[in-house]
Amino acid sequence: NDRKFRVAIFMGGIAQHTATSGWYAQEEFIIENGNNPDVAIIVKLHPRETEFIDLRMILQFENVKIVHKETDRSRIVKWSNIVICSDHCSTIFSPMILSKKVVAIRGKHIPMYKDCFSPLVNSSVNFIDKNNINLSELRNADSLDSITNEICWGNNGPIDLADKLLSYLH
């Protein structure tokens, strides 16, 4: 908790028929930063992908903790000051809404979908193609980002969805 950079890495699932999870770029980030005394990393495994991923490389780093479904992602987002996800991971929106420093890693697309890009490329997140993450230069996501408004709020702006539901029911 006292580290300068508290990084949450959310392992994405492989997007159905379009893109990879971006896991290999995330793993490279862990290898490069896993022994940095200024960095603490929590890796939240994806429930569908866990059995297919070899974690032996990252298990050797003392600054890395791996969690699975026993840990709620909202607790990890709250703890972190940097969140790294793939560009197709739905988990990315809660740290965006909270104005965290968010990194979206572009997944490698299969040839048929090579020109299909995530809408996050036009958002306020730090969008990268390769593992070139400079932790000191990351900017915070804009909680009023137009992509967040479109995808999370249905172009209604940051409204209280519970109030909207209750007013709809009355």
Side-chain angles (χ1 to χ4, degrees), residues 141-153:
D142 178 2
S143 63
L144 301 175
D145 187 296
S146 63
I147 300 298
T148 307
N149 181 37
E150 178 184 338
I151 295 173
C152 297
W153 307 119

Side-chain angles (χ1 to χ4, degrees), residues 12-83:
I14 293 176
Q16 195 73 3
H17 308 297
T18 58
T20 66
S21 67
W23 169 247
Y24 296 111
Q26 291 173 328
E27 183 181 50
E28 288 176 8
F29 172 85
I30 295 166
I31 292 167
E32 289 180 17
N33 294 280
N35 284 332
N36 183 334
D38 289 335
V39 178
I41 301 171
I42 293 181
V43 178
K44 173 87 160 120
L45 301 177
H46 192 281
R48 268 195 334 258
E49 307 301 328
T50 304
E51 66 183 87
F52 305 109
I53 303 294
D54 183 356
L55 299 171
R56 289 176 293 173
M57 177 65 76
I58 65 171
L59 285 169
Q60 66 183 315
F61 297 103
E62 290 182 21
N63 297 354
V64 178
K65 180 175 177 81
I66 300 172
V67 297
H68 200 270
K69 58 187 170 189
E70 77 281 356
T71 305
D72 183 75
R73 71 179 184 198
S74 62
R75 294 180 67 204
I76 298 168
V77 169
K78 182 179 178 181
W79 167 85
S80 67
N81 54 19
I82 299 171
V83 175

Side-chain angles (χ1 to χ4, degrees), residues 92 95-96 100-105 119-128 139-142 145 148:
I92 204 164
M96 286 176 69
K100 300 274 184 169
K101 293 177 181 180
V102 180
V103 177
I105 297 175
L120 293 170
V121 73
N122 297 315
S123 73
S124 61
V125 302
N126 300 276
F127 198 90
I128 65 167
R139 67 185 179 283
N140 291 68
D142 178 2
D145 187 296
T148 307

